[in-house]
Coordinates of all heavy atoms in Angstrom, one line a residue:
M1 N 0.8 -1.2 0.0 CA 0.0 0.0 0.0 C 0.9 1.2 0.0 O 1.8 1.4 0.9 CB -0.9 0.0 1.3 CG -1.8 1.1 1.3 SD -2.9 0.9 2.8 CE -3.6 2.5 2.8
V2 N 0.7 2.1 -0.9 CA 1.5 3.3 -1.1 C 0.6 4.5 -0.8 O -0.5 4.6 -1.3 CB 2.0 3.4 -2.6 CG1 2.8 4.8 -2.7 CG2 2.9 2.3 -2.8
I3 N 1.1 5.4 0.0 CA 0.2 6.6 0.4 C 0.8 7.8 -0.4 O 2.0 8.0 -0.4 CB 0.4 7.0 1.9 CG1 -0.1 5.8 2.8 CG2 -0.3 8.1 2.2 CD1 0.1 5.9 4.2
D4 N -0.1 8.4 -1.1 CA 0.3 9.5 -2.0 C 0.2 10.8 -1.2 O -0.8 11.2 -0.8 CB -0.6 9.5 -3.2 CG -0.2 10.6 -4.2 OD1 1.1 11.0 -4.2 OD2 -1.0 11.1 -4.9
I5 N 1.4 11.4 -0.9 CA 1.4 12.6 -0.1 C 1.8 13.7 -1.1 O 2.8 13.7 -1.8 CB 2.5 12.6 1.1 CG1 2.1 11.5 2.0 CG2 2.5 13.9 1.7 CD1 3.0 11.3 3.1
K6 N 1.0 14.8 -1.1 CA 1.3 15.9 -1.9 C 2.5 16.8 -1.4 O 2.6 16.8 -0.1 CB 0.1 16.8 -2.1 CG -1.1 16.1 -2.8 CD -2.2 17.0 -2.9 CE -3.3 16.2 -3.7 NZ -4.5 16.9 -3.8
P7 N 3.3 17.3 -2.3 CA 4.5 18.0 -1.7 C 4.2 19.1 -0.9 O 4.9 19.4 0.2 CB 5.2 18.4 -3.0 CG 4.7 17.6 -4.0 CD 3.3 17.2 -3.7
N8 N 3.2 19.9 -1.1 CA 2.8 21.1 -0.2 C 2.4 20.6 1.2 O 2.7 21.2 2.2 CB 1.8 21.9 -0.8 CG 2.3 22.7 -2.0 OD1 3.5 22.9 -2.2 ND2 1.3 23.1 -2.9
A9 N 1.6 19.4 1.2 CA 1.2 19.0 2.5 C 2.4 18.5 3.3 O 2.5 18.6 4.6 CB 0.2 17.9 2.4
F10 N 3.4 17.8 2.7 CA 4.5 17.3 3.3 C 5.4 18.5 3.9 O 5.8 18.4 5.0 CB 5.4 16.5 2.3 CG 6.6 16.0 2.9 CD1 6.6 14.8 3.8 CD2 7.8 16.4 2.6 CE1 7.8 14.4 4.3 CE2 9.0 16.0 3.2 CZ 9.0 15.0 4.0
K11 N 5.6 19.5 3.1 CA 6.4 20.6 3.5 C 5.7 21.3 4.7 O 6.4 21.8 5.7 CB 6.5 21.7 2.4 CG 7.5 21.3 1.3 CD 7.6 22.3 0.3 CE 8.5 21.9 -0.9 NZ 8.7 22.9 -1.9
K12 N 4.3 21.4 4.7 CA 3.6 22.0 5.8 C 3.8 21.1 7.1 O 4.0 21.7 8.1 CB 2.2 22.2 5.5 CG 1.4 23.0 6.5 CD 0.0 23.1 6.1 CE -0.8 24.0 7.1 NZ -2.2 24.2 6.7
G13 N 3.7 19.9 6.9 CA 3.9 18.9 8.1 C 5.3 19.1 8.7 O 5.5 19.1 9.9
V14 N 6.3 19.1 7.8 CA 7.7 19.3 8.2 C 7.8 20.6 9.1 O 8.5 20.7 10.1 CB 8.7 19.2 7.1 CG1 10.1 19.6 7.5 CG2 8.7 17.8 6.5
K15 N 7.3 21.7 8.5 CA 7.4 23.0 9.2 C 6.7 22.9 10.6 O 7.2 23.4 11.6 CB 6.7 24.1 8.3 CG 7.5 24.4 7.1 CD 6.9 25.5 6.3 CE 7.6 25.8 5.1 NZ 6.9 26.9 4.3
I16 N 5.5 22.3 10.7 CA 4.9 22.2 11.9 C 5.7 21.4 12.9 O 5.8 21.8 14.1 CB 3.5 21.5 11.7 CG1 2.6 22.5 11.0 CG2 2.8 21.1 13.1 CD1 1.2 21.9 10.6
V17 N 6.2 20.3 12.5 CA 7.2 19.5 13.4 C 8.4 20.3 13.9 O 8.7 20.3 15.0 CB 7.6 18.2 12.7 CG1 8.6 17.4 13.4 CG2 6.4 17.3 12.5
L18 N 9.0 21.0 13.0 CA 10.1 21.9 13.3 C 9.7 23.0 14.3 O 10.5 23.3 15.3 CB 10.8 22.5 12.2 CG 11.5 21.5 11.2 CD1 12.0 22.2 9.9 CD2 12.6 20.8 11.9
V19 N 8.6 23.6 14.1 CA 8.1 24.6 15.1 C 7.9 24.0 16.5 O 8.3 24.6 17.5 CB 6.9 25.3 14.5 CG1 6.2 26.1 15.6 CG2 7.2 26.2 13.4
I20 N 7.3 22.8 16.5 CA 7.0 22.2 17.8 C 8.4 21.8 18.5 O 8.5 21.9 19.7 CB 6.1 20.9 17.6 CG1 4.7 21.4 17.2 CG2 6.0 20.1 18.8 CD1 3.8 20.3 16.7
E21 N 9.2 21.3 17.7 CA 10.6 20.9 18.3 C 11.3 22.1 18.8 O 12.0 22.1 19.8 CB 11.5 20.2 17.2 CG 11.1 18.8 17.0 CD 12.0 18.1 16.1 OE1 12.9 18.7 15.6 OE2 11.8 16.9 15.8
G22 N 11.1 23.3 18.1 CA 11.8 24.5 18.5 C 11.2 25.0 19.8 O 11.9 25.5 20.8
I23 N 9.8 24.9 20.0 CA 9.2 25.3 21.2 C 9.7 24.5 22.3 O 10.0 25.0 23.4 CB 7.7 25.2 21.0 CG1 7.2 26.3 20.1 CG2 7.0 25.4 22.4 CD1 5.7 26.1 19.6
F24 N 9.8 23.2 22.2 CA 10.3 22.3 23.3 C 11.7 22.6 23.6 O 12.1 22.6 24.7 CB 10.1 20.8 22.9 CG 8.7 20.3 23.1 CD1 8.0 19.8 22.0 CD2 8.1 20.3 24.3 CE1 6.7 19.4 22.2 CE2 6.8 19.8 24.6 CZ 6.1 19.3 23.4
F25 N 12.5 22.8 22.6 CA 13.9 23.1 22.8 C 14.1 24.4 23.6 O 14.8 24.4 24.6 CB 14.7 23.3 21.4 CG 16.1 23.6 21.7 CD1 17.1 22.8 22.0 CD2 16.5 25.0 21.5 CE1 18.4 23.1 22.2 CE2 17.8 25.4 21.6 CZ 18.7 24.4 22.0
F26 N 13.4 25.5 23.2 CA 13.6 26.8 23.9 C 12.9 26.7 25.4 O 13.4 27.3 26.3 CB 13.1 27.9 23.1 CG 14.0 28.2 22.0 CD1 13.7 28.0 20.7 CD2 15.3 28.8 22.2 CE1 14.5 28.3 19.6 CE2 16.1 29.1 21.2 CZ 15.8 28.9 20.0
G27 N 11.9 25.9 25.5 CA 11.3 25.6 26.8 C 12.2 24.9 27.7 O 12.4 25.3 28.9
A28 N 12.9 23.9 27.2 CA 13.9 23.2 28.1 C 15.1 24.1 28.4 O 15.5 24.0 29.5 CB 14.3 21.9 27.3
Y29 N 15.5 24.9 27.4 CA 16.6 25.7 27.7 C 16.2 26.8 28.7 O 17.0 27.1 29.6 CB 17.0 26.5 26.4 CG 18.1 27.5 26.7 CD1 19.4 27.1 27.0 CD2 17.8 28.9 26.8 CE1 20.4 28.0 27.2 CE2 18.8 29.8 27.1 CZ 20.1 29.3 27.3 OH 21.1 30.3 27.6
Y30 N 15.0 27.3 28.7 CA 14.5 28.3 29.6 C 14.5 27.8 31.0 O 15.0 28.3 32.0 CB 13.1 28.8 29.3 CG 12.5 29.7 30.3 CD1 12.9 31.0 30.4 CD2 11.5 29.1 31.2 CE1 12.4 31.8 31.4 CE2 11.0 30.0 32.1 CZ 11.4 31.3 32.3 OH 10.8 32.1 33.2
V31 N 14.0 26.5 31.2 CA 14.0 25.9 32.6 C 15.4 25.6 33.0 O 15.7 25.9 34.2 CB 13.1 24.6 32.5 CG1 13.3 23.8 33.8 CG2 11.7 24.9 32.2
F32 N 16.2 25.1 32.2 CA 17.7 24.8 32.6 C 18.3 26.1 33.0 O 19.0 26.1 34.0 CB 18.4 24.1 31.5 CG 19.8 23.9 31.8 CD1 20.2 22.8 32.6 CD2 20.9 24.8 31.4 CE1 21.5 22.5 32.9 CE2 22.2 24.5 31.8 CZ 22.4 23.4 32.6
H33 N 18.2 27.1 32.2 CA 18.8 28.4 32.5 C 18.2 29.0 33.8 O 19.1 29.5 34.6 CB 18.7 29.4 31.3 CG 19.2 30.7 31.6 ND1 20.6 31.0 31.7 CD2 18.6 32.0 31.9 CE1 20.8 32.2 31.9 NE2 19.6 32.8 32.1
K34 N 17.0 28.9 34.0 CA 16.5 29.4 35.3 C 17.0 28.6 36.5 O 17.3 29.2 37.5 CB 15.0 29.4 35.2 CG 14.3 30.3 36.2 CD 12.9 30.7 35.9 CE 12.3 31.6 36.9 NZ 11.0 31.9 36.7
M35 N 17.0 27.3 36.3 CA 17.6 26.5 37.4 C 19.1 26.8 37.6 O 19.6 26.7 38.8 CB 17.4 25.0 37.2 CG 16.0 24.5 37.5 SD 15.7 22.8 37.6 CE 16.1 22.3 35.9
N36 N 19.7 27.0 36.6 CA 21.2 27.3 36.7 C 21.6 28.6 37.3 O 22.7 28.8 37.9 CB 21.9 27.2 35.2 CG 23.4 27.0 35.3 OD1 23.9 26.4 36.2 ND2 24.0 27.5 34.3
T37 N 20.6 29.6 37.3 CA 20.9 30.9 37.8 C 20.2 31.3 39.0 O 20.4 32.4 39.6 CB 20.7 32.0 36.7 OG1 19.4 31.9 36.2 CG2 21.6 31.7 35.5
N38 N 19.1 30.5 39.4 CA 18.2 31.0 40.4 C 18.0 29.9 41.5 O 17.3 28.9 41.3 CB 16.9 31.4 39.8 CG 15.9 32.1 40.8 OD1 16.1 32.0 41.9 ND2 15.0 32.8 40.2
Q39 N 18.6 30.1 42.7 CA 18.5 29.2 43.8 C 17.1 29.0 44.2 O 16.6 27.9 44.6 CB 19.4 29.4 44.9 CG 19.6 28.3 45.9 CD 20.5 28.7 47.0 OE1 20.6 29.8 47.5 NE2 21.4 27.7 47.3
E40 N 16.3 30.1 44.2 CA 14.9 30.0 44.7 C 14.1 29.1 43.7 O 13.2 28.4 44.2 CB 14.3 31.4 44.8 CG 14.9 32.2 45.9 CD 14.4 33.6 46.0 OE1 13.3 33.9 45.4 OE2 15.0 34.5 46.6
Y41 N 14.3 29.3 42.5 CA 13.7 28.4 41.5 C 14.0 26.9 41.7 O 13.2 26.1 41.6 CB 14.0 28.9 40.1 CG 13.2 28.1 39.0 CD1 11.7 28.4 38.9 CD2 13.7 27.2 38.1 CE1 11.0 27.8 38.0 CE2 12.9 26.6 37.2 CZ 11.6 26.9 37.1 OH 10.9 26.2 36.2
R42 N 15.3 26.7 42.0 CA 15.7 25.3 42.3 C 15.0 24.8 43.5 O 14.6 23.6 43.6 CB 17.2 25.2 42.5 CG 18.0 25.3 41.2 CD 19.4 24.9 41.3 NE 20.2 25.6 42.3 CZ 20.8 26.7 42.1 NH1 20.8 27.3 40.9 NH2 21.5 27.3 43.1
H43 N 14.8 25.7 44.5 CA 14.0 25.3 45.7 C 12.5 25.0 45.3 O 12.0 23.9 45.8 CB 14.1 26.4 46.8 CG 13.5 25.9 48.1 ND1 12.7 26.5 48.8 CD2 13.9 24.7 48.8 CE1 12.3 25.9 49.9 NE2 13.1 24.8 49.9
Y44 N 11.9 25.8 44.5 CA 10.6 25.5 44.0 C 10.6 24.1 43.3 O 9.6 23.3 43.4 CB 10.2 26.7 43.1 CG 8.9 26.3 42.3 CD1 7.7 26.3 42.7 CD2 9.1 25.9 40.9 CE1 6.6 26.0 42.1 CE2 8.0 25.5 40.1 CZ 6.7 25.5 40.7 OH 5.6 25.2 40.0
M45 N 11.6 23.9 42.4 CA 11.6 22.6 41.7 C 11.8 21.5 42.6 O 11.3 20.3 42.5 CB 12.7 22.6 40.6 CG 12.5 23.6 39.5 SD 11.0 23.3 38.5 CE 11.6 22.0 37.5
H46 N 12.6 21.7 43.7 CA 12.8 20.6 44.7 C 11.4 20.2 45.4 O 11.2 19.0 45.6 CB 13.7 21.1 45.8 CG 13.9 20.2 46.9 ND1 14.7 19.0 46.8 CD2 13.4 20.2 48.2 CE1 14.6 18.4 48.0 NE2 13.9 19.0 48.8
K47 N 10.6 21.2 45.6 CA 9.3 20.9 46.2 C 8.3 20.3 45.2 O 7.6 19.4 45.6 CB 8.7 22.2 46.8 CG 9.4 22.7 48.0 CD 8.8 23.9 48.6 CE 9.5 24.4 49.8 NZ 8.8 25.7 50.3
K48 N 8.3 20.8 44.0 CA 7.3 20.4 43.0 C 7.7 19.3 42.0 O 6.9 18.5 41.6 CB 6.8 21.7 42.3 CG 6.2 22.8 43.1 CD 4.9 22.3 43.8 CE 4.3 23.5 44.6 NZ 3.1 23.2 45.2
H49 N 8.9 19.3 41.6 CA 9.4 18.5 40.6 C 10.8 18.0 41.0 O 11.8 18.3 40.2 CB 9.4 19.2 39.2 CG 8.1 19.8 38.9 ND1 7.0 19.1 38.5 CD2 7.7 21.2 38.8 CE1 6.0 20.0 38.2 NE2 6.4 21.2 38.5
P50 N 10.9 17.1 41.9 CA 12.3 16.7 42.4 C 13.0 15.9 41.3 O 14.2 15.9 41.3 CB 12.0 15.9 43.6 CG 10.5 15.5 43.6 CD 9.9 16.6 42.8
T51 N 12.3 15.1 40.5 CA 13.0 14.4 39.5 C 13.7 15.2 38.4 O 14.8 14.9 37.9 CB 12.1 13.4 38.8 OG1 11.0 14.0 38.2 CG2 11.6 12.3 39.8
I52 N 13.1 16.3 38.1 CA 13.7 17.3 37.1 C 14.9 17.9 37.8 O 16.0 18.1 37.1 CB 12.7 18.3 36.7 CG1 11.5 17.7 35.9 CG2 13.3 19.4 35.8 CD1 10.4 18.6 35.5
L53 N 14.8 18.3 39.0 CA 16.0 18.8 39.7 C 17.1 17.8 39.9 O 18.2 18.2 39.7 CB 15.5 19.4 41.1 CG 16.6 20.1 41.9 CD1 17.0 21.4 41.2 CD2 16.1 20.5 43.3
E54 N 16.7 16.6 40.1 CA 17.8 15.6 40.1 C 18.5 15.5 38.9 O 19.8 15.4 38.8 CB 17.2 14.2 40.5 CG 18.1 13.1 40.7 CD 19.1 13.3 41.9 OE1 18.8 14.0 42.8 OE2 20.2 12.8 41.8
G55 N 17.9 15.5 37.7 CA 18.4 15.6 36.5 C 19.4 16.7 36.2 O 20.4 16.7 35.7
F56 N 18.9 17.9 36.7 CA 19.7 19.1 36.7 C 21.1 18.9 37.4 O 22.1 19.3 37.0 CB 19.0 20.3 37.2 CG 19.9 21.5 37.4 CD1 20.3 22.3 36.3 CD2 20.3 21.9 38.7 CE1 21.1 23.4 36.5 CE2 21.1 22.9 38.8 CZ 21.5 23.8 37.7
Y57 N 20.9 18.4 38.6 CA 22.1 18.1 39.5 C 23.1 17.1 38.8 O 24.3 17.4 38.8 CB 21.7 17.6 40.9 CG 21.1 18.6 41.8 CD1 20.1 18.4 42.7 CD2 21.7 20.0 41.8 CE1 19.6 19.3 43.5 CE2 21.1 20.9 42.7 CZ 20.1 20.6 43.5 OH 19.5 21.5 44.4
K58 N 22.5 16.2 38.3 CA 23.4 15.1 37.6 C 24.1 15.8 36.4 O 25.3 15.5 36.2 CB 22.5 13.9 37.1 CG 22.0 13.2 38.3 CD 22.1 11.6 38.1 CE 21.5 11.0 39.2 NZ 22.4 10.3 40.1
S59 N 23.4 16.6 35.6 CA 24.0 17.2 34.4 C 25.1 18.2 34.9 O 26.1 18.4 34.3 CB 23.0 17.9 33.5 OG 22.4 19.0 34.1
A60 N 24.8 18.9 36.0 CA 25.8 19.9 36.6 C 27.0 19.2 37.1 O 28.1 19.7 36.8 CB 25.1 20.7 37.7
E61 N 26.8 18.1 37.8 CA 28.0 17.3 38.2 C 28.7 16.7 37.1 O 30.0 16.7 37.1 CB 27.5 16.2 39.1 CG 27.0 16.7 40.5 CD 26.2 15.6 41.3 OE1 26.1 14.5 40.8 OE2 25.8 15.9 42.4
W62 N 28.1 16.2 36.0 CA 28.8 15.7 34.8 C 29.6 17.0 34.2 O 30.7 16.7 33.7 CB 27.8 15.2 33.9 CG 28.4 14.7 32.6 CD1 29.1 13.5 32.5 CD2 28.4 15.3 31.4 NE1 29.5 13.3 31.2 CE2 29.1 14.5 30.5 CE3 27.8 16.5 30.9 CZ2 29.2 14.8 29.1 CZ3 28.0 16.8 29.6 CH2 28.7 16.0 28.7
G63 N 29.0 18.1 34.2 CA 29.6 19.3 33.6 C 30.8 19.9 34.5 O 31.4 20.9 34.1
G64 N 30.9 19.4 35.8 CA 32.1 19.8 36.4 C 31.7 20.7 37.7 O 32.5 21.2 38.5
I65 N 30.4 21.0 37.9 CA 30.0 21.7 39.1 C 29.5 20.7 40.1 O 28.5 20.2 40.1 CB 28.8 22.7 38.6 CG1 29.2 23.6 37.5 CG2 28.3 23.5 39.9 CD1 28.0 24.4 36.9
K66 N 30.5 20.4 41.0 CA 30.3 19.3 41.9 C 29.5 19.8 43.2 O 28.9 19.0 43.9 CB 31.7 18.8 42.5 CG 32.5 18.4 41.3 CD 32.0 17.1 40.8 CE 32.9 16.6 39.7 NZ 32.4 15.6 38.8
D67 N 29.5 21.1 43.5 CA 28.9 21.5 44.8 C 27.6 22.2 44.7 O 27.1 22.7 45.7 CB 29.9 22.4 45.5 CG 30.3 23.6 44.7 OD1 30.0 23.6 43.6 OD2 30.9 24.5 45.3
A68 N 26.9 22.1 43.6 CA 25.6 22.8 43.5 C 24.6 22.2 44.4 O 23.8 22.8 45.2 CB 25.1 22.7 42.1
R69 N 24.4 20.9 44.5 CA 23.5 20.2 45.4 C 23.8 20.5 46.8 O 22.9 20.8 47.6 CB 23.5 18.7 45.1 CG 22.5 17.9 45.9 CD 22.9 16.4 45.8 NE 23.1 16.0 44.5 CZ 22.2 15.3 43.7 NH1 21.1 14.9 44.3 NH2 22.6 14.8 42.5
I70 N 25.1 20.4 47.2 CA 25.5 20.7 48.6 C 25.2 22.1 49.0 O 24.6 22.3 50.1 CB 26.9 20.3 48.8 CG1 27.2 18.8 48.5 CG2 27.5 20.7 50.2 CD1 28.6 18.5 48.3
N71 N 25.5 23.0 48.2 CA 25.3 24.5 48.4 C 23.7 24.7 48.6 O 23.3 25.4 49.5 CB 25.8 25.4 47.4 CG 27.3 25.4 47.5 OD1 27.9 25.0 48.5 ND2 27.9 25.8 46.4
D72 N 23.0 24.1 47.8 CA 21.5 24.4 47.9 C 20.9 23.7 49.1 O 20.1 24.3 49.9 CB 20.8 23.7 46.7 CG 20.9 24.4 45.3 OD1 21.4 25.7 45.5 OD2 20.6 24.0 44.3
Y73 N 21.4 22.5 49.5 CA 20.8 21.8 50.6 C 21.3 22.6 51.9 O 20.5 22.6 52.9 CB 21.2 20.4 50.7 CG 20.5 19.4 49.7 CD1 19.5 19.9 48.8 CD2 20.7 18.1 49.7 CE1 18.8 19.2 47.9 CE2 20.0 17.3 48.7 CZ 19.1 17.9 47.9 OH 18.4 17.0 47.1
K74 N 22.5 23.1 51.9 CA 22.9 23.9 53.0 C 22.0 25.2 53.2 O 21.6 25.5 54.3 CB 24.4 24.3 52.9 CG 25.3 23.2 53.3 CD 26.7 23.7 53.2 CE 27.7 22.6 53.4 NZ 29.1 23.0 53.2
A75 N 21.8 25.8 52.1 CA 21.0 27.0 52.1 C 19.5 26.7 52.5 O 18.9 27.5 53.2 CB 21.0 27.7 50.8
W76 N 19.0 25.6 52.1 CA 17.7 25.2 52.5 C 17.6 24.4 53.8 O 16.5 24.1 54.2 CB 17.0 24.3 51.3 CG 17.1 24.9 50.0 CD1 17.1 26.2 49.7 CD2 17.2 24.2 48.8 NE1 17.1 26.4 48.3 CE2 17.2 25.2 47.7 CE3 17.1 22.9 48.5 CZ2 17.3 24.8 46.4 CZ3 17.2 22.5 47.1 CH2 17.3 23.4 46.1
E77 N 18.7 24.1 54.4 CA 18.8 23.3 55.6 C 18.1 22.0 55.5 O 17.4 21.6 56.3 CB 18.2 24.1 56.8 CG 19.0 25.4 57.1 CD 18.4 26.2 58.3 OE1 17.4 25.7 58.9 OE2 18.8 27.3 58.4
I78 N 18.5 21.3 54.5 CA 18.0 20.0 54.1 C 19.1 18.9 54.5 O 20.2 19.1 53.9 CB 17.5 19.7 52.8 CG1 16.3 20.8 52.5 CG2 17.0 18.4 52.4 CD1 15.9 20.8 51.1
T79 N 18.8 18.0 55.2 CA 19.9 17.0 55.5 C 19.5 15.6 55.1 O 20.2 14.6 55.5 CB 20.1 17.0 57.1 OG1 18.9 16.6 57.7 CG2 20.5 18.4 57.6
D80 N 18.5 15.4 54.3 CA 18.1 14.1 53.9 C 19.0 13.5 52.8 O 18.9 12.3 52.5 CB 16.6 14.0 53.4 CG 16.3 15.0 52.3 OD1 17.1 15.8 52.0 OD2 15.2 14.8 51.7
K81 N 19.9 14.3 52.1 CA 20.7 13.7 51.1 C 22.1 14.2 51.3 O 22.5 15.2 51.7 CB 20.2 14.1 49.7 CG 19.0 13.3 49.4 CD 18.7 13.5 47.9 CE 17.4 12.7 47.6 NZ 17.1 12.6 46.1

């Protein structure tokens, strides 16, 4: 079975997919940048979305920033980790 797709419809579909990917990319960049520069936002993420914050800490440790988690926990007075 062969599906006949018109070139204009294909181009429009590709554009829509690229726009959606761009939105997701810039959204992820915005969240990462905000977590990277704002300790209060990291505290909010700790309370509401701890798995996302854990991913941020892992990527920061992989990138060479070893003390981000420790500094945050000291500032928040958290001793569970």
Side-chain angles (χ1 to χ4, degrees):
M1 179 175 171
V2 177
I3 299 173
D4 186 25
I5 299 176
K6 296 182 180 177
N8 289 339
F10 180 74
K11 287 180 182 180
K12 186 175 181 180
V14 168
K15 287 179 185 178
I16 290 171
V17 168
L18 289 176
V19 167
I20 292 171
E21 284 184 2
I23 290 169
F24 280 119
F25 175 78
F26 285 110
Y29 176 77
Y30 172 78
V31 170
F32 178 82
H33 178 70
K34 196 161 183 181
M35 280 195 295
N36 198 29
T37 58
N38 189 340
Q39 189 177 44
E40 291 177 20
Y41 187 70
R42 287 193 302 270
H43 192 232
Y44 165 80
M45 294 298 279
H46 174 74
K47 290 180 178 180
K48 300 291 182 181
H49 308 286
T51 55
I52 295 172
L53 184 64
E54 183 64 27
F56 169 77
Y57 285 141
K58 293 218 184 254
S59 68
E61 289 167 358
W62 180 77
I65 303 170
K66 304 289 184 196
D67 56 350
R69 182 190 316 252
I70 296 167
N71 291 339
D72 286 348
Y73 285 1
K74 282 181 183 177
W76 308 329
E77 298 180 7
I78 297 173
T79 59
D80 60 347
K81 290 193 178 189

